[in-house]
Short mmCIF file of all heavy atoms in Angstrom, two decimals:
data_model
loop_
_atom_site.label_atom_id
_atom_site.label_comp_id
_atom_site.label_asym_id
_atom_site.label_seq_id
_atom_site.Cartn_x
_atom_site.Cartn_y
_atom_site.Cartn_z
N ASP A 335 17.12 19.52 -4.30
CA ASP A 335 17.28 20.78 -3.51
C ASP A 335 18.16 20.46 -2.33
O ASP A 335 17.74 19.81 -1.38
CB ASP A 335 15.84 21.22 -2.99
CG ASP A 335 15.92 22.36 -2.09
OD1 ASP A 335 17.00 22.93 -1.93
OD2 ASP A 335 14.85 22.73 -1.56
N ASN A 336 19.38 20.92 -2.37
CA ASN A 336 20.36 20.57 -1.35
C ASN A 336 20.12 21.25 -0.04
O ASN A 336 20.75 20.93 0.93
CB ASN A 336 21.76 20.88 -1.86
CG ASN A 336 22.16 19.94 -2.96
OD1 ASN A 336 21.84 18.73 -2.95
ND2 ASN A 336 22.83 20.46 -3.98
N ASN A 337 19.20 22.22 -0.07
CA ASN A 337 19.00 22.98 1.20
C ASN A 337 17.92 22.41 2.06
O ASN A 337 17.63 22.94 3.11
CB ASN A 337 18.61 24.42 0.82
CG ASN A 337 19.72 25.06 0.06
OD1 ASN A 337 20.90 24.81 0.31
ND2 ASN A 337 19.35 25.88 -0.90
N ASN A 338 17.21 21.32 1.61
CA ASN A 338 16.08 20.92 2.43
C ASN A 338 16.51 20.00 3.64
O ASN A 338 15.67 19.52 4.38
CB ASN A 338 15.04 20.20 1.58
CG ASN A 338 15.46 18.85 0.99
OD1 ASN A 338 16.59 18.44 1.29
ND2 ASN A 338 14.63 18.21 0.28
N GLY A 339 17.80 19.76 3.75
CA GLY A 339 18.30 19.09 4.92
C GLY A 339 18.07 17.57 4.91
O GLY A 339 18.50 16.84 5.76
N LYS A 340 17.36 17.06 3.91
CA LYS A 340 17.09 15.65 3.85
C LYS A 340 17.96 14.99 2.77
O LYS A 340 18.50 15.65 1.90
CB LYS A 340 15.67 15.46 3.38
CG LYS A 340 14.65 15.29 4.48
CD LYS A 340 13.30 14.87 3.90
CE LYS A 340 12.18 15.81 4.30
NZ LYS A 340 11.28 16.16 3.22
N THR A 341 18.12 13.73 2.89
CA THR A 341 18.91 13.01 1.84
C THR A 341 17.98 12.81 0.67
O THR A 341 16.85 12.40 0.86
CB THR A 341 19.36 11.67 2.38
OG1 THR A 341 19.62 11.81 3.79
CG2 THR A 341 20.60 11.16 1.72
N PHE A 342 18.45 13.10 -0.52
CA PHE A 342 17.53 12.93 -1.69
C PHE A 342 17.16 11.47 -1.89
O PHE A 342 16.05 11.14 -2.22
CB PHE A 342 18.26 13.46 -2.96
CG PHE A 342 17.39 13.62 -4.15
CD1 PHE A 342 16.23 14.37 -4.10
CD2 PHE A 342 17.75 12.98 -5.34
CE1 PHE A 342 15.39 14.56 -5.20
CE2 PHE A 342 16.91 13.17 -6.45
CZ PHE A 342 15.77 13.94 -6.37
N LEU A 343 18.12 10.58 -1.69
CA LEU A 343 17.86 9.13 -1.91
C LEU A 343 17.91 8.40 -0.57
O LEU A 343 18.95 8.46 0.16
CB LEU A 343 18.86 8.53 -2.86
CG LEU A 343 18.69 7.04 -3.17
CD1 LEU A 343 17.48 6.82 -4.02
CD2 LEU A 343 19.92 6.41 -3.75
N THR A 344 16.81 7.76 -0.17
CA THR A 344 16.82 6.98 1.08
C THR A 344 16.53 5.49 0.68
O THR A 344 16.11 5.24 -0.40
CB THR A 344 15.75 7.44 2.05
OG1 THR A 344 14.46 7.20 1.47
CG2 THR A 344 15.88 8.97 2.40
N GLY A 345 16.79 4.61 1.64
CA GLY A 345 16.51 3.20 1.40
C GLY A 345 17.71 2.44 0.81
O GLY A 345 18.84 2.77 1.13
N LEU A 346 17.45 1.51 -0.09
CA LEU A 346 18.57 0.71 -0.67
C LEU A 346 19.53 1.67 -1.42
O LEU A 346 19.14 2.49 -2.19
CB LEU A 346 17.95 -0.28 -1.68
CG LEU A 346 17.05 -1.35 -1.17
CD1 LEU A 346 16.55 -2.20 -2.31
CD2 LEU A 346 17.75 -2.19 -0.11
N GLN A 347 20.81 1.50 -1.02
CA GLN A 347 21.81 2.33 -1.63
C GLN A 347 22.05 2.04 -3.13
O GLN A 347 21.97 0.90 -3.55
CB GLN A 347 23.12 2.19 -0.84
CG GLN A 347 23.14 2.96 0.45
CD GLN A 347 22.68 4.42 0.27
OE1 GLN A 347 23.34 5.16 -0.42
NE2 GLN A 347 21.54 4.78 0.86
N VAL A 348 22.30 3.06 -3.82
CA VAL A 348 22.59 2.92 -5.33
C VAL A 348 23.85 3.75 -5.60
O VAL A 348 23.93 4.92 -5.25
CB VAL A 348 21.42 3.47 -6.12
CG1 VAL A 348 21.68 3.28 -7.62
CG2 VAL A 348 20.10 2.80 -5.77
N GLU A 349 24.86 3.08 -6.18
CA GLU A 349 26.11 3.78 -6.49
C GLU A 349 25.89 4.71 -7.72
O GLU A 349 25.32 4.27 -8.71
CB GLU A 349 27.21 2.75 -6.85
CG GLU A 349 27.71 1.95 -5.67
CD GLU A 349 28.31 2.79 -4.56
OE1 GLU A 349 29.05 3.77 -4.90
OE2 GLU A 349 28.00 2.57 -3.37
N PRO A 350 26.36 5.94 -7.61
CA PRO A 350 26.16 6.87 -8.77
C PRO A 350 26.93 6.37 -10.00
O PRO A 350 28.03 5.77 -9.84
CB PRO A 350 26.78 8.18 -8.24
CG PRO A 350 27.00 8.02 -6.83
CD PRO A 350 27.06 6.59 -6.52
N VAL A 351 26.36 6.62 -11.17
CA VAL A 351 27.11 6.18 -12.39
C VAL A 351 27.10 7.41 -13.39
O VAL A 351 26.28 8.32 -13.23
CB VAL A 351 26.40 5.01 -13.16
CG1 VAL A 351 26.58 3.73 -12.36
CG2 VAL A 351 24.90 5.31 -13.38
N GLU A 352 27.99 7.37 -14.33
CA GLU A 352 28.02 8.36 -15.42
C GLU A 352 27.02 7.98 -16.44
O GLU A 352 26.76 6.82 -16.74
CB GLU A 352 29.40 8.32 -16.06
CG GLU A 352 30.53 8.96 -15.27
CD GLU A 352 30.34 10.47 -15.20
OE1 GLU A 352 30.13 11.11 -16.27
OE2 GLU A 352 30.52 11.03 -14.14
N ILE A 353 26.36 9.00 -17.01
CA ILE A 353 25.45 8.66 -18.12
C ILE A 353 26.02 9.24 -19.44
O ILE A 353 26.68 10.26 -19.45
CB ILE A 353 24.01 9.14 -17.91
CG1 ILE A 353 23.91 10.59 -17.46
CG2 ILE A 353 23.30 8.25 -16.94
CD1 ILE A 353 22.48 11.03 -17.35
N SER A 354 25.76 8.52 -20.51
CA SER A 354 26.34 8.86 -21.83
C SER A 354 25.75 10.14 -22.38
O SER A 354 24.62 10.55 -22.03
CB SER A 354 26.11 7.72 -22.79
OG SER A 354 24.75 7.63 -23.13
N GLU A 355 26.49 10.79 -23.25
CA GLU A 355 25.99 12.03 -23.95
C GLU A 355 24.77 11.67 -24.76
O GLU A 355 23.86 12.49 -24.84
CB GLU A 355 27.12 12.62 -24.84
CG GLU A 355 28.18 13.35 -24.05
CD GLU A 355 27.68 14.41 -23.12
OE1 GLU A 355 26.85 15.28 -23.57
OE2 GLU A 355 28.11 14.45 -21.97
N GLU A 356 24.77 10.50 -25.41
CA GLU A 356 23.66 10.09 -26.28
C GLU A 356 22.33 10.05 -25.39
O GLU A 356 21.29 10.53 -25.84
CB GLU A 356 23.81 8.69 -26.84
CG GLU A 356 24.90 8.57 -27.89
CD GLU A 356 26.31 8.45 -27.31
OE1 GLU A 356 26.42 7.78 -26.21
OE2 GLU A 356 27.28 9.05 -27.82
N LEU A 357 22.48 9.46 -24.20
CA LEU A 357 21.29 9.40 -23.36
C LEU A 357 20.89 10.80 -22.89
O LEU A 357 19.70 11.12 -23.00
CB LEU A 357 21.57 8.49 -22.12
CG LEU A 357 20.45 8.33 -21.12
CD1 LEU A 357 19.15 7.86 -21.76
CD2 LEU A 357 20.82 7.38 -19.97
N LYS A 358 21.83 11.63 -22.52
CA LYS A 358 21.50 13.01 -22.15
C LYS A 358 20.77 13.71 -23.25
O LYS A 358 19.77 14.42 -23.02
CB LYS A 358 22.81 13.80 -21.79
CG LYS A 358 23.25 13.61 -20.38
CD LYS A 358 24.42 14.50 -20.09
CE LYS A 358 25.19 13.99 -18.91
NZ LYS A 358 26.58 14.52 -18.83
N ASN A 359 21.27 13.51 -24.46
CA ASN A 359 20.60 14.19 -25.63
C ASN A 359 19.22 13.64 -25.94
O ASN A 359 18.36 14.35 -26.46
CB ASN A 359 21.50 14.06 -26.84
CG ASN A 359 22.80 14.85 -26.73
OD1 ASN A 359 22.85 15.79 -25.92
ND2 ASN A 359 23.84 14.45 -27.38
N ALA A 360 19.01 12.40 -25.53
CA ALA A 360 17.74 11.78 -25.83
C ALA A 360 16.64 12.29 -24.87
O ALA A 360 15.46 12.12 -25.13
CB ALA A 360 17.84 10.24 -25.73
N ILE A 361 17.05 12.80 -23.70
CA ILE A 361 16.03 13.27 -22.74
C ILE A 361 15.84 14.79 -22.99
O ILE A 361 16.61 15.60 -22.59
CB ILE A 361 16.56 13.04 -21.27
CG1 ILE A 361 16.94 11.56 -21.04
CG2 ILE A 361 15.56 13.54 -20.26
CD1 ILE A 361 15.84 10.57 -21.16
N CYS A 362 14.73 15.12 -23.66
CA CYS A 362 14.43 16.51 -23.99
C CYS A 362 13.41 17.08 -23.01
O CYS A 362 12.23 17.15 -23.31
CB CYS A 362 13.88 16.64 -25.42
SG CYS A 362 14.82 15.78 -26.60
N LEU A 363 13.86 17.42 -21.80
CA LEU A 363 12.94 17.94 -20.79
C LEU A 363 13.62 19.04 -20.10
O LEU A 363 14.81 18.97 -19.75
CB LEU A 363 12.53 16.86 -19.81
CG LEU A 363 11.56 15.75 -20.28
CD1 LEU A 363 11.57 14.62 -19.37
CD2 LEU A 363 10.18 16.35 -20.51
N GLU A 364 12.90 20.11 -19.81
CA GLU A 364 13.43 21.23 -18.99
C GLU A 364 13.63 20.72 -17.57
O GLU A 364 12.73 20.11 -16.99
CB GLU A 364 12.37 22.34 -18.91
CG GLU A 364 12.32 23.27 -20.08
CD GLU A 364 13.67 24.03 -20.28
OE1 GLU A 364 14.13 24.58 -19.25
OE2 GLU A 364 14.21 24.02 -21.42
N PRO A 365 14.80 20.97 -16.96
CA PRO A 365 14.96 20.57 -15.60
C PRO A 365 13.93 21.27 -14.68
O PRO A 365 13.59 22.45 -14.92
CB PRO A 365 16.39 21.04 -15.25
CG PRO A 365 17.06 21.18 -16.56
CD PRO A 365 16.02 21.55 -17.53
N MET A 366 13.41 20.53 -13.71
CA MET A 366 12.37 21.03 -12.81
C MET A 366 12.92 20.92 -11.41
O MET A 366 12.80 19.90 -10.72
CB MET A 366 11.12 20.22 -13.01
CG MET A 366 9.84 20.84 -12.49
SD MET A 366 8.52 19.64 -12.59
CE MET A 366 7.69 20.21 -14.05
N SER A 367 13.54 22.01 -10.95
CA SER A 367 14.16 21.87 -9.56
C SER A 367 13.06 21.89 -8.52
O SER A 367 12.00 22.46 -8.69
CB SER A 367 15.12 23.02 -9.32
OG SER A 367 14.51 24.24 -9.49
N LYS A 368 13.30 21.16 -7.43
CA LYS A 368 12.42 21.02 -6.29
C LYS A 368 11.11 20.27 -6.64
O LYS A 368 10.20 20.27 -5.84
CB LYS A 368 12.05 22.40 -5.68
CG LYS A 368 13.25 23.14 -5.16
CD LYS A 368 12.82 24.38 -4.38
CE LYS A 368 13.99 25.20 -4.10
NZ LYS A 368 13.69 26.63 -3.94
N GLY A 369 11.01 19.72 -7.81
CA GLY A 369 9.77 18.95 -8.21
C GLY A 369 9.65 17.69 -7.34
O GLY A 369 8.54 17.34 -6.97
N ILE A 370 10.76 17.03 -7.10
CA ILE A 370 10.73 15.80 -6.31
C ILE A 370 11.50 16.08 -5.00
O ILE A 370 12.63 16.58 -5.01
CB ILE A 370 11.41 14.62 -7.05
CG1 ILE A 370 10.46 14.26 -8.23
CG2 ILE A 370 11.65 13.43 -6.20
CD1 ILE A 370 11.06 13.23 -9.19
N SER A 371 10.83 15.88 -3.86
CA SER A 371 11.52 16.19 -2.63
C SER A 371 12.46 15.10 -2.16
O SER A 371 13.51 15.43 -1.65
CB SER A 371 10.51 16.61 -1.57
OG SER A 371 9.56 15.61 -1.35
N TYR A 372 12.09 13.85 -2.30
CA TYR A 372 13.07 12.77 -2.08
C TYR A 372 12.59 11.50 -2.70
O TYR A 372 11.44 11.39 -3.21
CB TYR A 372 13.32 12.63 -0.58
CG TYR A 372 12.13 12.15 0.24
CD1 TYR A 372 12.02 10.83 0.63
CD2 TYR A 372 11.15 13.01 0.61
CE1 TYR A 372 10.98 10.39 1.43
CE2 TYR A 372 10.04 12.61 1.43
CZ TYR A 372 10.00 11.33 1.81
OH TYR A 372 8.94 10.86 2.54
N ILE A 373 13.51 10.52 -2.71
CA ILE A 373 13.23 9.21 -3.37
C ILE A 373 13.53 8.07 -2.37
O ILE A 373 14.48 8.10 -1.65
CB ILE A 373 14.20 9.03 -4.62
CG1 ILE A 373 13.92 10.13 -5.62
CG2 ILE A 373 13.95 7.61 -5.22
CD1 ILE A 373 14.86 10.07 -6.82
N ILE A 374 12.52 7.14 -2.32
CA ILE A 374 12.74 5.95 -1.47
C ILE A 374 13.04 4.81 -2.41
O ILE A 374 12.28 4.49 -3.34
CB ILE A 374 11.47 5.65 -0.64
CG1 ILE A 374 11.06 6.87 0.18
CG2 ILE A 374 11.72 4.43 0.25
CD1 ILE A 374 9.68 6.78 0.73
N SER A 375 14.21 4.18 -2.20
CA SER A 375 14.60 3.07 -3.06
C SER A 375 14.34 1.76 -2.30
O SER A 375 14.82 1.58 -1.20
CB SER A 375 16.10 3.27 -3.38
OG SER A 375 16.66 2.06 -3.75
N THR A 376 13.54 0.90 -2.91
CA THR A 376 13.14 -0.33 -2.18
C THR A 376 12.95 -1.51 -3.17
O THR A 376 13.28 -1.40 -4.37
CB THR A 376 11.91 -0.02 -1.28
OG1 THR A 376 11.64 -1.20 -0.47
CG2 THR A 376 10.67 0.34 -2.06
N GLN A 377 12.33 -2.57 -2.69
CA GLN A 377 12.11 -3.81 -3.47
C GLN A 377 10.88 -4.51 -2.94
O GLN A 377 10.31 -4.06 -1.97
CB GLN A 377 13.32 -4.70 -3.40
CG GLN A 377 13.68 -5.10 -1.99
CD GLN A 377 14.99 -5.78 -1.85
OE1 GLN A 377 15.57 -6.28 -2.76
NE2 GLN A 377 15.56 -5.72 -0.61
N ALA A 378 10.54 -5.62 -3.54
CA ALA A 378 9.38 -6.38 -3.05
C ALA A 378 9.74 -7.01 -1.71
O ALA A 378 10.91 -7.32 -1.44
CB ALA A 378 9.01 -7.47 -4.07
N GLY A 379 8.77 -7.14 -0.87
CA GLY A 379 9.08 -7.65 0.51
C GLY A 379 7.98 -8.53 1.02
O GLY A 379 6.98 -8.81 0.39
N PRO A 380 8.20 -9.09 2.28
CA PRO A 380 7.27 -10.04 2.90
C PRO A 380 6.03 -9.40 3.50
O PRO A 380 5.96 -8.15 3.69
CB PRO A 380 8.10 -10.65 4.01
CG PRO A 380 9.14 -9.58 4.35
CD PRO A 380 9.39 -8.81 3.08
N GLY A 381 5.08 -10.19 3.86
CA GLY A 381 3.87 -9.75 4.49
C GLY A 381 4.02 -9.40 5.99
O GLY A 381 5.20 -9.27 6.42
N PRO A 382 2.95 -9.19 6.70
CA PRO A 382 3.02 -8.82 8.12
C PRO A 382 3.88 -9.80 8.94
O PRO A 382 3.96 -11.02 8.64
CB PRO A 382 1.56 -8.84 8.57
CG PRO A 382 0.78 -8.66 7.32
CD PRO A 382 1.52 -9.31 6.25
N ARG A 383 4.44 -9.29 10.02
CA ARG A 383 5.32 -10.08 10.92
C ARG A 383 5.03 -9.75 12.35
O ARG A 383 4.66 -8.58 12.65
CB ARG A 383 6.77 -9.58 10.68
CG ARG A 383 7.39 -9.99 9.37
CD ARG A 383 7.99 -11.40 9.52
NE ARG A 383 8.54 -11.87 8.29
CZ ARG A 383 7.90 -12.48 7.27
NH1 ARG A 383 6.63 -12.61 7.36
NH2 ARG A 383 8.57 -12.95 6.23
N VAL A 384 5.30 -10.65 13.27
CA VAL A 384 5.24 -10.41 14.66
C VAL A 384 6.60 -9.98 15.16
O VAL A 384 7.62 -10.56 14.75
CB VAL A 384 4.88 -11.70 15.47
CG1 VAL A 384 4.74 -11.42 16.95
CG2 VAL A 384 3.54 -12.25 14.95
N LEU A 385 6.65 -8.94 15.98
CA LEU A 385 7.98 -8.57 16.59
C LEU A 385 8.00 -9.23 17.97
O LEU A 385 7.17 -9.01 18.81
CB LEU A 385 8.06 -7.02 16.77
CG LEU A 385 8.01 -6.17 15.51
CD1 LEU A 385 8.21 -4.71 15.87
CD2 LEU A 385 9.09 -6.58 14.52
N GLU A 386 9.00 -10.10 18.16
CA GLU A 386 9.09 -10.93 19.36
C GLU A 386 9.63 -10.17 20.59
O GLU A 386 9.30 -10.46 21.73
CB GLU A 386 9.91 -12.15 19.16
CG GLU A 386 9.45 -13.04 18.00
CD GLU A 386 8.12 -13.76 18.24
OE1 GLU A 386 7.62 -13.71 19.38
OE2 GLU A 386 7.57 -14.38 17.24
N ASP A 387 10.47 -9.12 20.30
CA ASP A 387 11.12 -8.43 21.43
C ASP A 387 10.14 -7.44 22.10
O ASP A 387 9.67 -6.51 21.54
CB ASP A 387 12.30 -7.66 20.77
CG ASP A 387 12.97 -6.74 21.79
OD1 ASP A 387 12.66 -6.84 23.00
OD2 ASP A 387 13.83 -5.93 21.38
N PRO A 388 9.83 -7.73 23.40
CA PRO A 388 8.82 -6.86 24.10
C PRO A 388 9.37 -5.41 24.14
O PRO A 388 8.51 -4.52 24.34
CB PRO A 388 8.79 -7.46 25.53
CG PRO A 388 9.49 -8.81 25.42
CD PRO A 388 10.40 -8.80 24.26
N GLY A 389 10.64 -5.21 24.05
CA GLY A 389 11.15 -3.79 24.02
C GLY A 389 10.61 -3.01 22.86
O GLY A 389 10.66 -1.75 22.87
N GLN A 390 10.04 -3.65 21.84
CA GLN A 390 9.52 -2.99 20.70
C GLN A 390 8.02 -2.62 20.80
O GLN A 390 7.46 -2.00 19.93
CB GLN A 390 9.78 -3.76 19.42
CG GLN A 390 11.29 -3.78 19.12
CD GLN A 390 11.62 -4.66 17.88
OE1 GLN A 390 11.38 -5.88 17.94
NE2 GLN A 390 12.15 -4.06 16.87
#
Side-chain angles (χ1 to χ4, degrees):
D335 175 6
N336 290 322
N337 300 324
N338 70 0
K340 268 190 234 138
T341 328
F342 191 56
L343 181 73
T344 65
L346 296 178
Q347 282 310 297
V348 181
E349 289 301 317
V351 290
E352 284 289 315
I353 50 176
S354 70
E355 284 306 312
E356 291 80 37
L357 177 56
K358 274 187 200 160
N359 292 335
I361 306 295
C362 310
L363 288 167
E364 278 298 310
M366 198 186 258
S367 57
K368 298 188 190 153
I370 290 174
S371 54
Y372 66 102
I373 300 176
I374 305 165
S375 158
T376 186
Q377 59 192 338
R383 289 275 180 276
V384 180
L385 298 183
E386 303 291 351
D387 173 9
Q390 291 175 299

